Amino acid sequence: MSVERETHQPNVTITGLAWQRNVELEHEQSDRIREEAASDDFWKPVAQRFVPPEKGDSGPDNTVEQLKEFIEPKDTVLDVGAGGGRLAIPLAEYCVQVTAVEPSQAMRERLIATARVWDVENVSVLSDRWEDIEVAPHDLVVCAHVVYTATHIEHFIAKLTSHARKTVALISFETPATSNYVPLWKLVHGEDRITLPTLPNIEELLSEMAIWYRKTPLESWISRPFVSRDQAISECESRLFITPGSRKSEMLADALDDSLVEVDGGYRLGWAEPHRPWIISWNA
Ligand SMILES: C[S@@+](CC[C@H](N)C(=O)[O-])C[C@H]1O[C@@H](n2cnc3c(N)ncnc32)[C@H](O)[C@@H]1O
Protein backbone atom coordinates (compact mmCIF):
# COMPACT_ATOMS: atom_id res chain seq x y z
CA MET A 1 0.00 0.00 0.00
CA SER A 2 1.32 3.45 -0.86
CA VAL A 3 2.05 5.66 2.12
CA GLU A 4 2.43 8.76 -0.03
CA ARG A 5 0.69 11.74 1.47
CA GLU A 6 -1.70 13.76 -0.62
CA THR A 7 0.12 16.61 -2.36
CA HIS A 8 -1.63 19.86 -1.61
CA GLN A 9 -2.15 21.70 -4.90
CA PRO A 10 -0.89 25.22 -4.22
CA ASN A 11 -2.14 28.39 -5.84
CA VAL A 12 -0.03 29.90 -8.58
CA THR A 13 1.79 32.92 -7.12
CA ILE A 14 2.96 36.18 -8.73
CA THR A 15 6.57 35.12 -8.12
CA GLY A 16 5.82 31.67 -9.54
CA LEU A 17 4.48 33.22 -12.76
CA ALA A 18 7.57 35.44 -13.12
CA TRP A 19 9.76 32.41 -12.33
CA GLN A 20 8.02 30.37 -15.05
CA ARG A 21 8.51 33.17 -17.62
CA ASN A 22 12.17 33.56 -16.61
CA VAL A 23 12.86 29.83 -17.09
CA GLU A 24 11.02 29.82 -20.44
CA LEU A 25 13.00 32.83 -21.70
CA GLU A 26 16.28 31.22 -20.65
CA HIS A 27 15.32 27.99 -22.43
CA GLU A 28 14.22 29.92 -25.55
CA GLN A 29 17.59 31.67 -25.64
CA SER A 30 19.40 28.34 -25.28
CA ASP A 31 17.33 26.80 -28.12
CA ARG A 32 17.92 29.79 -30.41
CA ILE A 33 21.70 29.83 -29.80
CA ARG A 34 22.20 26.05 -29.87
CA GLU A 35 24.19 25.06 -32.95
CA GLU A 36 23.16 21.42 -33.06
CA ALA A 37 20.34 19.26 -31.75
CA ALA A 38 20.11 19.26 -27.96
CA SER A 39 21.97 16.40 -26.32
CA ASP A 40 19.69 13.77 -24.79
CA ASP A 41 21.64 14.23 -21.54
CA PHE A 42 22.59 17.84 -20.76
CA TRP A 43 24.60 16.76 -17.70
CA LYS A 44 26.88 14.23 -19.39
CA PRO A 45 29.87 16.55 -20.03
CA VAL A 46 29.87 17.87 -16.45
CA ALA A 47 28.65 14.87 -14.42
CA GLN A 48 32.08 14.35 -12.86
CA ARG A 49 31.70 17.72 -11.09
CA PHE A 50 28.81 16.39 -9.00
CA VAL A 51 30.44 13.44 -7.25
CA PRO A 52 31.63 13.69 -3.64
CA PRO A 53 35.34 14.11 -2.90
CA GLU A 54 37.40 11.04 -2.08
CA LYS A 55 36.06 9.16 0.95
CA GLY A 56 37.59 10.70 4.07
CA ASP A 57 38.23 14.10 2.43
CA SER A 58 36.14 16.91 3.86
CA GLY A 59 35.54 18.43 0.41
CA PRO A 60 35.34 22.05 -0.64
CA ASP A 61 32.49 23.13 1.65
CA ASN A 62 30.52 22.24 4.79
CA THR A 63 27.16 21.27 3.22
CA VAL A 64 27.27 17.65 4.43
CA GLU A 65 28.35 18.79 7.92
CA GLN A 66 25.34 21.12 8.11
CA LEU A 67 22.85 18.64 6.65
CA LYS A 68 23.93 16.06 9.23
CA GLU A 69 22.35 18.33 11.84
CA PHE A 70 18.92 17.53 10.40
CA ILE A 71 19.42 13.74 10.58
CA GLU A 72 19.10 11.12 13.29
CA PRO A 73 20.59 7.64 12.73
CA LYS A 74 17.13 6.05 12.32
CA ASP A 75 16.07 8.57 9.64
CA THR A 76 15.60 8.24 5.90
CA VAL A 77 16.72 10.88 3.40
CA LEU A 78 15.31 11.68 -0.03
CA ASP A 79 17.75 13.59 -2.25
CA VAL A 80 15.87 15.17 -5.15
CA GLY A 81 18.16 15.85 -8.13
CA ALA A 82 21.03 13.99 -6.47
CA GLY A 83 23.48 14.41 -9.36
CA GLY A 84 26.55 12.20 -8.98
CA GLY A 85 25.83 11.67 -5.27
CA ARG A 86 27.83 14.66 -3.97
CA LEU A 87 25.53 14.82 -0.93
CA ALA A 88 23.57 11.53 -1.07
CA ILE A 89 26.64 9.31 -0.72
CA PRO A 90 28.31 10.99 2.29
CA LEU A 91 24.88 11.44 3.99
CA ALA A 92 24.22 7.69 3.73
CA GLU A 93 26.70 7.18 6.55
CA TYR A 94 24.44 9.07 9.00
CA CYS A 95 21.02 7.51 8.33
CA VAL A 96 19.40 4.17 7.54
CA GLN A 97 18.55 4.80 3.90
CA VAL A 98 18.99 7.45 1.20
CA THR A 99 16.79 7.54 -1.89
CA ALA A 100 18.36 9.50 -4.72
CA VAL A 101 16.03 10.88 -7.41
CA GLU A 102 18.09 11.54 -10.53
CA PRO A 103 16.76 11.67 -14.11
CA SER A 104 20.15 12.07 -15.87
CA GLN A 105 21.66 8.74 -16.85
CA ALA A 106 25.21 10.16 -16.83
CA MET A 107 24.69 11.44 -13.29
CA ARG A 108 23.16 8.14 -12.15
CA GLU A 109 26.11 6.21 -13.55
CA ARG A 110 28.52 8.45 -11.62
CA LEU A 111 26.46 8.09 -8.45
CA ILE A 112 26.29 4.30 -8.64
CA ALA A 113 30.02 3.97 -9.47
CA THR A 114 30.98 6.33 -6.64
CA ALA A 115 28.73 4.57 -4.10
CA ARG A 116 30.59 1.37 -4.98
CA VAL A 117 33.98 3.04 -4.45
CA TRP A 118 32.76 4.43 -1.12
CA ASP A 119 31.39 0.99 -0.21
CA VAL A 120 27.98 2.50 0.49
CA GLU A 121 25.05 0.08 0.20
CA ASN A 122 22.10 2.02 1.62
CA VAL A 123 21.51 4.36 -1.34
CA SER A 124 18.84 3.50 -3.89
CA VAL A 125 18.36 5.42 -7.12
CA LEU A 126 15.14 6.40 -8.93
CA SER A 127 15.32 7.71 -12.47
CA ASP A 128 12.14 9.80 -12.91
CA ARG A 129 11.86 13.56 -12.70
CA TRP A 130 10.58 14.86 -9.39
CA GLU A 131 7.38 16.09 -11.00
CA ASP A 132 6.56 12.57 -12.25
CA ILE A 133 7.84 10.33 -9.51
CA GLU A 134 5.84 8.31 -7.01
CA VAL A 135 7.80 7.75 -3.84
CA ALA A 136 6.99 7.44 -0.15
CA PRO A 137 7.77 10.31 2.25
CA HIS A 138 11.19 10.36 3.93
CA ASP A 139 12.27 12.11 7.15
CA LEU A 140 14.52 14.66 5.45
CA VAL A 141 14.07 15.86 1.87
CA VAL A 142 17.18 17.47 0.40
CA CYS A 143 17.06 19.38 -2.88
CA ALA A 144 20.35 21.05 -3.80
CA HIS A 145 20.78 23.29 -6.84
CA VAL A 146 17.83 21.83 -8.72
CA VAL A 147 14.93 24.29 -8.57
CA TYR A 148 16.60 26.90 -10.79
CA THR A 149 15.20 25.26 -13.95
CA ALA A 150 11.93 24.02 -12.47
CA THR A 151 8.69 25.09 -14.07
CA HIS A 152 5.44 25.02 -12.06
CA ILE A 153 7.69 25.80 -9.14
CA GLU A 154 4.90 25.99 -6.56
CA HIS A 155 3.99 22.35 -7.29
CA PHE A 156 7.62 21.33 -7.15
CA ILE A 157 8.02 22.95 -3.72
CA ALA A 158 4.68 21.65 -2.41
CA LYS A 159 5.69 18.13 -3.42
CA LEU A 160 8.98 18.48 -1.52
CA THR A 161 7.00 19.48 1.57
CA SER A 162 4.43 16.68 1.24
CA HIS A 163 7.24 14.10 0.94
CA ALA A 164 9.10 15.20 4.07
CA ARG A 165 8.12 13.72 7.44
CA LYS A 166 10.29 16.21 9.31
CA THR A 167 12.25 18.75 7.28
CA VAL A 168 12.90 20.06 3.78
CA ALA A 169 16.42 21.39 3.16
CA LEU A 170 16.66 23.26 -0.10
CA ILE A 171 20.10 24.49 -1.12
CA SER A 172 20.61 27.46 -3.40
CA PHE A 173 23.38 29.77 -4.45
CA GLU A 174 23.00 33.49 -3.91
CA THR A 175 23.81 34.20 -7.56
CA PRO A 176 23.10 31.99 -10.60
CA ALA A 177 25.08 28.74 -10.61
CA THR A 178 26.36 29.48 -14.12
CA SER A 179 27.46 33.09 -13.35
CA ASN A 180 31.07 32.30 -14.15
CA TYR A 181 30.17 31.41 -17.76
CA VAL A 182 28.02 34.51 -18.34
CA PRO A 183 30.82 36.87 -19.55
CA LEU A 184 31.69 34.33 -22.29
CA TRP A 185 28.21 34.74 -23.81
CA LYS A 186 28.83 38.36 -24.77
CA LEU A 187 32.30 37.52 -26.12
CA VAL A 188 31.16 34.57 -28.25
CA HIS A 189 27.41 34.97 -28.91
CA GLY A 190 27.39 38.78 -28.78
CA GLU A 191 24.47 38.90 -26.34
CA ASP A 192 23.86 38.87 -22.61
CA ARG A 193 22.86 35.53 -21.09
CA ILE A 194 19.43 35.39 -19.49
CA THR A 195 20.07 33.99 -16.03
CA LEU A 196 17.79 31.69 -14.05
CA PRO A 197 15.94 32.41 -10.78
CA THR A 198 18.01 32.04 -7.65
CA LEU A 199 18.02 32.63 -3.86
CA PRO A 200 16.10 35.96 -3.70
CA ASN A 201 13.38 34.50 -5.95
CA ILE A 202 13.19 31.36 -3.79
CA GLU A 203 12.75 33.45 -0.66
CA GLU A 204 10.06 35.59 -2.28
CA LEU A 205 8.26 32.49 -3.49
CA LEU A 206 8.32 30.73 -0.11
CA SER A 207 6.94 33.85 1.55
CA GLU A 208 4.11 34.02 -0.98
CA MET A 209 3.43 30.34 -0.33
CA ALA A 210 3.32 31.09 3.43
CA ILE A 211 6.22 28.70 4.09
CA TRP A 212 8.22 29.88 7.11
CA TYR A 213 11.84 29.01 6.51
CA ARG A 214 15.21 29.31 8.22
CA LYS A 215 18.40 30.36 6.43
CA THR A 216 21.76 28.73 7.18
CA PRO A 217 24.82 30.11 5.40
CA LEU A 218 27.25 27.55 4.02
CA GLU A 219 30.94 28.07 3.35
CA SER A 220 31.50 29.59 -0.04
CA TRP A 221 33.50 27.50 -2.47
CA ILE A 222 35.01 27.87 -5.89
CA SER A 223 34.40 25.27 -8.62
CA ARG A 224 37.05 22.65 -9.23
CA PRO A 225 39.44 23.94 -11.90
CA PHE A 226 39.41 22.64 -15.46
CA VAL A 227 42.17 20.04 -15.49
CA SER A 228 43.43 21.16 -18.91
CA ARG A 229 42.84 23.84 -21.53
CA ASP A 230 41.11 21.22 -23.70
CA GLN A 231 38.74 20.33 -20.88
CA ALA A 232 37.99 24.04 -20.38
CA ILE A 233 37.11 24.38 -24.08
CA SER A 234 34.95 21.28 -24.09
CA GLU A 235 33.02 22.21 -20.90
CA CYS A 236 32.53 25.80 -22.04
CA GLU A 237 31.36 24.59 -25.48
CA SER A 238 28.74 22.49 -23.82
CA ARG A 239 27.67 25.29 -21.42
CA LEU A 240 27.43 27.75 -24.33
CA PHE A 241 25.81 25.24 -26.76
CA ILE A 242 28.68 25.50 -29.26
CA THR A 243 29.58 22.76 -31.74
CA PRO A 244 33.22 21.63 -31.49
CA GLY A 245 35.18 22.71 -34.57
CA SER A 246 32.70 25.51 -35.50
CA ARG A 247 33.53 29.20 -36.04
CA LYS A 248 32.17 29.98 -32.56
CA SER A 249 34.35 27.25 -31.11
CA GLU A 250 37.39 29.13 -32.48
CA MET A 251 36.05 32.38 -30.97
CA LEU A 252 35.59 30.59 -27.66
CA ALA A 253 39.15 29.21 -27.75
CA ASP A 254 40.45 32.78 -28.38
CA ALA A 255 38.32 34.13 -25.52
CA LEU A 256 39.63 31.40 -23.22
CA ASP A 257 43.23 32.15 -24.21
CA ASP A 258 42.63 35.64 -22.83
CA SER A 259 40.69 34.61 -19.74
CA LEU A 260 42.02 31.30 -18.35
CA VAL A 261 44.49 31.59 -15.51
CA GLU A 262 46.67 28.78 -14.24
CA VAL A 263 45.82 27.68 -10.69
CA ASP A 264 46.64 24.75 -8.46
CA GLY A 265 45.21 21.69 -10.26
CA GLY A 266 44.54 23.29 -13.65
CA TYR A 267 42.90 26.39 -15.09
CA ARG A 268 40.17 28.75 -14.03
CA LEU A 269 38.36 31.67 -15.66
CA GLY A 270 40.15 34.80 -14.41
CA TRP A 271 36.91 36.39 -13.27
CA ALA A 272 35.53 33.25 -11.52
CA GLU A 273 33.95 34.08 -8.18
CA PRO A 274 33.29 31.65 -5.33
CA HIS A 275 29.73 30.31 -5.03
CA ARG A 276 27.82 31.36 -1.92
CA PRO A 277 25.33 28.59 -0.96
CA TRP A 278 22.60 28.68 1.68
CA ILE A 279 20.38 26.03 3.21
CA ILE A 280 16.77 27.13 3.23
CA SER A 281 14.95 24.74 5.53
CA TRP A 282 11.40 24.37 6.77
CA ASN A 283 9.38 21.95 8.83
CA ALA A 284 7.06 19.65 6.97
C1 LIG B 1 23.27 21.22 -10.62
S1 LIG B 1 22.96 19.52 -10.44
C2 LIG B 1 23.03 19.34 -8.69
C3 LIG B 1 23.30 17.94 -8.24
C4 LIG B 1 23.38 17.73 -6.71
N1 LIG B 1 22.13 18.03 -6.05
C5 LIG B 1 24.48 18.56 -6.11
O1 LIG B 1 24.17 19.55 -5.42
O2 LIG B 1 25.65 18.24 -6.36
C6 LIG B 1 21.21 19.44 -10.77
C7 LIG B 1 20.68 18.02 -10.83
O3 LIG B 1 19.25 18.05 -10.76
C8 LIG B 1 18.73 17.11 -11.66
N2 LIG B 1 17.38 17.58 -12.03
C9 LIG B 1 17.07 18.61 -12.85
N3 LIG B 1 15.74 18.73 -12.96
C10 LIG B 1 15.20 17.75 -12.19
C11 LIG B 1 13.85 17.34 -11.90
N4 LIG B 1 12.83 17.97 -12.46
N5 LIG B 1 13.67 16.30 -11.07
C12 LIG B 1 14.73 15.67 -10.51
N6 LIG B 1 16.01 16.01 -10.75
C13 LIG B 1 16.25 17.03 -11.58
C14 LIG B 1 19.69 17.11 -12.82
O4 LIG B 1 19.60 15.91 -13.58
C15 LIG B 1 21.03 17.28 -12.12
O5 LIG B 1 21.61 16.06 -11.80
Side-chain angles (χ1 to χ4, degrees):
M1 193 183 83
S2 167
V3 284
E4 193 170 335
R5 277 192 267 166
E6 200 182 312
T7 304
H8 169 65
Q9 293 299 310
N11 293 328
V12 171
T13 61
I14 302 281
T15 305
L17 283 173
W19 182 300
Q20 177 91 11
R21 189 69 196 125
N22 187 168
V23 173
E24 286 166 359
L25 286 173
E26 197 260 6
H27 286 9
E28 277 169 31
Q29 185 185 37
S30 307
D31 290 342
R32 177 168 52 74
I33 287 289
R34 192 175 272 124
E35 292 189 318
E36 52 186 23
S39 146
D40 55 354
D41 193 345
F42 171 81
W43 295 100
K44 196 170 177 181
V46 290
Q48 184 55 33
R49 288 193 173 272
F50 297 94
V51 298
E54 305 251 311
K55 190 172 183 177
D57 279 7
S58 58
D61 70 318
N62 61 341
T63 311
V64 171
E65 290 301 305
Q66 288 292 339
L67 288 175
K68 263 164 55 184
E69 301 297 317
F70 295 106
I71 306 175
E72 291 178 64
K74 61 174 178 38
D75 282 350
T76 57
V77 174
L78 182 63
D79 186 357
V80 176
R86 190 175 67 90
L87 304 174
I89 293 172
L91 287 177
E93 195 183 324
Y94 305 102
C95 62
V96 283
Q97 173 69 27
V98 176
T99 307
V101 176
E102 181 43 64
S104 151
Q105 186 181 338
M107 289 287 208
R108 286 197 307 276
E109 284 170 4
R110 292 284 177 188
L111 192 159
I112 290 163
T114 311
R116 220 169 278 141
V117 172
W118 275 59
D119 208 12
V120 162
E121 290 182 350
N122 57 339
V123 177
S124 58
V125 186
L126 302 175
S127 61
D128 283 332
R129 296 168 74 239
W130 179 238
E131 294 84 337
D132 308 325
I133 212 154
E134 282 193 29
V135 61
H138 287 51
D139 294 302
L140 172 68
V141 174
V142 173
C143 184
H145 308 301
V146 179
V147 294
Y148 313 127
T149 53
T151 49
H152 308 293
I153 183 66
E154 300 92 342
H155 292 88
F156 196 105
I157 298 277
K159 191 167 175 180
L160 296 178
T161 308
S162 68
H163 283 69
R165 277 193 288 259
K166 292 182 181 171
T167 312
V168 179
L170 192 148
I171 300 172
S172 168
F173 291 129
E174 251 175 48
T175 51
T178 52
S179 298
N180 288 335
Y181 297 95
V182 165
L184 290 171
W185 273 72
K186 191 83 177 171
L187 295 173
V188 178
H189 295 311
E191 60 185 83
D192 290 327
R193 176 58 161 156
I194 297 167
T195 55
L196 289 165
T198 185
L199 184 68
N201 312 86
I202 293 171
E203 291 194 61
E204 226 174 287
L205 181 86
L206 294 179
S207 300
E208 276 184 55
M209 291 178 73
I211 292 176
W212 309 116
Y213 58 89
R214 296 172 295 281
K215 277 178 79 178
T216 312
L218 294 167
E219 281 168 15
S220 50
W221 52 276
I222 193 145
S223 296
R224 293 169 207 172
F226 306 111
V227 292
S228 63
R229 185 176 173 280
D230 282 352
Q231 196 218 351
I233 294 176
S234 134
E235 267 196 41
C236 293
E237 279 172 346
S238 110
R239 292 287 186 164
L240 273 81
F241 311 109
I242 292 171
T243 306
S246 65
R247 170 82 193 103
K248 279 191 173 172
S249 167
E250 283 170 29
M251 291 166 72
L252 174 66
D254 289 345
L256 289 176
D257 277 343
D258 293 338
S259 43
L260 284 178
V261 290
E262 214 166 335
V263 293
D264 206 16
Y267 297 86
R268 181 165 283 142
L269 291 162
W271 55 70
E273 290 280 342
H275 296 298
R276 291 177 215 293
W278 291 77
I279 300 180
I280 306 293
S281 59
W282 63 94
N283 298 334

